[in-house]
Amino acid sequence: MRAASDLITQRPLKIGITCYPTVGGSGVLASALGEELAGRGHEVHFISYERPFRLPLNAARLHFHTVVINDYDLFKYPDYTLPLSVKMAEVSRDHQLDVLHVHYAVPHATAAILARSMLPAAQQPRVVTTLHGTDTTLLGRDAGYGPAIRHALHCSDAVTAVSSFLQQESHRLLDFRGPIEVIHNFFHPHPPQRSREAVRRELGLNDREALLLHSSNLRPLKRIDLLLEAAARIRPADSFKLVILAGGSFAPFVDQVRRLGLEERVIVREKVSDIEDYLQAADLGLFTSETESFCLSILEAMCFACPSVAMRVGGIPEVIEEGVSGLLVPFGDADAFARAVEGLVHDTSKREALGRAAQHRARERFSAEAIVPRYEDLYRRVIG
Ligand code: GMT
């Protein structure tokens, strides 16, 4: 006769996932994880106020449940945590979820803990919380959030962080003593829909211009000001085009582009969904963030043999092996950044060598094959 734990190891799992649906690394990662888990035979239920933007439509075993938020005059600030927890409890009960996996602690982990406690013991899912970055590095420092985050982590059945940097910062800033398992981010690129040449043509690049790529939600910590400052120092000025895939409004930076005389150099595309088309056309990624727990965009570029120049901050050195699969410069040094970019714009063979190493590293360490089984193991451990 089989032990109950054997059955848990064998059977597909039922997993609820909550993330922010908007453009941002945590939502991208959560969507990719859900897609991969469903592809491996598990039943996956996304619970959020909107369908995550990269979540495929009509995929087998992949479901989406909307959290409806009513706007009551009674509240000055609309509340999301309570309707989210009610929906989490409802989906857990109706679909007999094994695990609620929440990405980004605020308010998802708190809502999951509340949802779990609303259910009778036999129907309670395990709660796994994945910390992504600013839930620790920004909100964790805030006296109005820190204690609630710490409490939700204590009540979670497992806590993970997307880099060792974030693991250490979470212990330090949140004063959380429990275990935090490091499971790095992964990226599984979809095949591009257009050729490299077609994309470069669309962008108006000539053969002598390198395509420098930045993609982010443009939040202040991405330091777009510094990115533009550095771009203006690259010589010769006509050796590149900087393509910015903007997950937020670029309007606040238009003046700076004009002031720096970069109108002919900077091309902005907002809310791009065919990211792979642009990644395969890029020569070099540029990232000037003041902090990043991982920087999924760097990994996305690495998958297409596109190395990056980035600031040496947070968890980025865990992603880029310095000098081998990309270049890092001290934070804030726009001149050093420009010199590093310039060197790679002109030295094609060095750039390509870094790109090959970057792609190899991405496949070895940060592929779906390497990372998704780590989450599956974790789910089975917390259930078992
Ligand atoms: O970086 C952002 O602005 C979005 C943010 C998020 O939570 O969506 O990204 C965080 O999570 C990503 C996925 O794990 C990481 O790659 C980013 O480094 C991290 N951002 C920060 O730590 C600032």
Side-chain angles (χ1 to χ4, degrees), residues 18-21 26 47-49 67 69 78-86 88 100-115 127-131 134-135 139 144-145 148-153 156:
T18 289
C19 63
Y20 282 109
S26 58
I47 307 163
S48 189
Y49 61 87
V67 180
I69 311 160
D79 168 60
Y80 178 51
T81 312
L82 293 182
L84 173 62
S85 66
V86 168
M88 282 172 157
L100 271 176
H101 186 177
V102 295
H103 292 262
Y104 207 93
V106 182
H108 304 154
T110 304
I113 301 305
L114 185 55
V127 174
V128 174
T129 300
T130 292
L131 298 167
T134 41
D135 39 3
L139 300 177
Y145 283 93
I149 301 173
R150 186 165 51 246
H151 175 74
L153 298 189
S156 297

Side-chain angles (χ1 to χ4, degrees), residues 53-133:
F53 81 107
R54 281 207 198 161
L55 194 67
L57 289 162
N58 309 320
R61 296 178 293 279
L62 201 51
H63 309 274
F64 176 68
H65 307 266
T66 314
V67 180
V68 178
I69 311 160
N70 291 321
D71 194 5
Y72 290 106
D73 290 346
L74 180 69
F75 300 139
K76 182 166 176 196
Y77 306 104
D79 168 60
Y80 178 51
T81 312
L82 293 182
L84 173 62
S85 66
V86 168
K87 184 56 89 179
M88 282 172 157
E90 198 179 292
V91 175
S92 300
R93 183 198 59 215
D94 294 351
H95 298 276
Q96 296 158 17
L97 297 187
D98 296 300
V99 174
L100 271 176
H101 186 177
V102 295
H103 292 262
Y104 207 93
V106 182
H108 304 154
T110 304
I113 301 305
L114 185 55
R116 188 180 62 188
S117 63
M118 282 182 217
L119 295 167
Q123 291 177 3
Q124 290 182 352
R126 298 290 190 264
V127 174
V128 174
T129 300
T130 292
L131 298 167
H132 278 272

Side-chain angles (χ1 to χ4, degrees), residues 251-306:
F253 307 104
V254 170
D255 269 356
Q256 194 188 357
V257 167
R258 209 172 298 129
R259 218 172 339 107
L260 293 170
L262 287 171
E263 296 99 321
E264 299 294 310
R265 298 291 117 213
V266 174
I267 302 170
V268 179
R269 293 284 183 270
E270 288 190 1
K271 306 243 160 71
V272 159
S273 55
D274 47 352
I275 178 114
E276 285 87 355
D277 287 11
Y278 291 92
L279 292 171
Q280 58 144 0
D283 294 307
L284 201 54
L286 306 193
F287 297 93
T288 45
S289 303
E290 62 191 37
T291 181
E292 285 289 347
S293 62
F294 186 93
C295 199
L296 195 53
S297 301
I298 292 179
L299 175 60
E300 291 177 339
M302 286 166 72
C303 290
F304 286 89
C306 171

Side-chain angles (χ1 to χ4, degrees), residues 104-358:
Y104 207 93
V106 182
H108 304 154
T110 304
I113 301 305
L114 185 55
R116 188 180 62 188
S117 63
M118 282 182 217
L119 295 167
Q123 291 177 3
Q124 290 182 352
R126 298 290 190 264
V127 174
V128 174
T129 300
T130 292
L131 298 167
H132 278 272
T134 41
D135 39 3
T136 291
T137 54
L138 184 68
L139 300 177
R141 295 171 198 267
D142 184 330
Y145 283 93
I149 301 173
R150 186 165 51 246
H151 175 74
L153 298 189
H154 272 296
C155 296
S156 297
D157 295 287
V159 179
T160 76
V162 299
S163 62
S164 302
F165 162 79
L166 187 60
Q167 175 199 47
Q168 285 154 25
E169 283 298 273
S170 304
H171 282 307
R172 189 175 72 83
L173 289 169
L174 295 165
D175 191 23
F176 173 66
R177 308 275 161 82
I180 302 179
E181 192 164 331
V182 176
I183 305 185
H184 285 121
N185 284 330
F186 71 92
F187 183 60
H188 182 80
H190 293 123
Q193 298 303 303
R194 291 182 286 161
S195 69
R196 177 178 165 94
E197 292 67 38
V199 177
R200 292 174 75 98
R201 217 175 308 121
E202 172 221 304
L203 296 166
L205 264 93
N206 65 42
D207 292 345
R208 296 175 309 284
E209 288 170 330
L211 195 169
L212 312 182
L213 188 75
H214 172 86
S215 76
S216 77
N217 50 24
L218 311 188
R219 283 195 299 165
L221 61 77
K222 303 294 172 185
R223 295 302 303 269
I224 303 303
D225 58 327
L226 204 49
L227 176 72
L228 297 173
E229 187 65 45
R233 297 181 192 198
I234 300 171
R235 294 288 172 269
D238 61 359
S239 59
F240 71 94
K241 288 241 165 75
L242 171 60
V243 175
I244 299 182
L245 303 184
S249 167
F250 191 74
F253 307 104
V254 170
D255 269 356
Q256 194 188 357
V257 167
R258 209 172 298 129
R259 218 172 339 107
L260 293 170
L262 287 171
E263 296 99 321
E264 299 294 310
R265 298 291 117 213
V266 174
I267 302 170
V268 179
R269 293 284 183 270
E270 288 190 1
K271 306 243 160 71
V272 159
S273 55
D274 47 352
I275 178 114
E276 285 87 355
D277 287 11
Y278 291 92
L279 292 171
Q280 58 144 0
D283 294 307
L284 201 54
L286 306 193
F287 297 93
T288 45
S289 303
E290 62 191 37
T291 181
E292 285 289 347
S293 62
F294 186 93
C295 199
L296 195 53
S297 301
I298 292 179
L299 175 60
E300 291 177 339
M302 286 166 72
C303 290
F304 286 89
C306 171
S308 289
V309 177
M311 298 295 177
R312 192 183 296 112
V313 295
I316 289 182
E318 293 173 54
V319 183
I320 295 178
E321 194 185 356
E322 190 166 353
V324 178
S325 51
L327 299 183
L328 302 179
V329 304
F331 175 70
D333 193 338
D335 215 48
F337 195 92
R339 296 293 80 77
V341 173
E342 216 172 270
L344 294 182
V345 165
H346 302 305
D347 189 343
T348 315
S349 57
K350 178 159 183 208
R351 191 172 78 217
E352 287 175 354
L354 291 176
R356 280 192 300 275

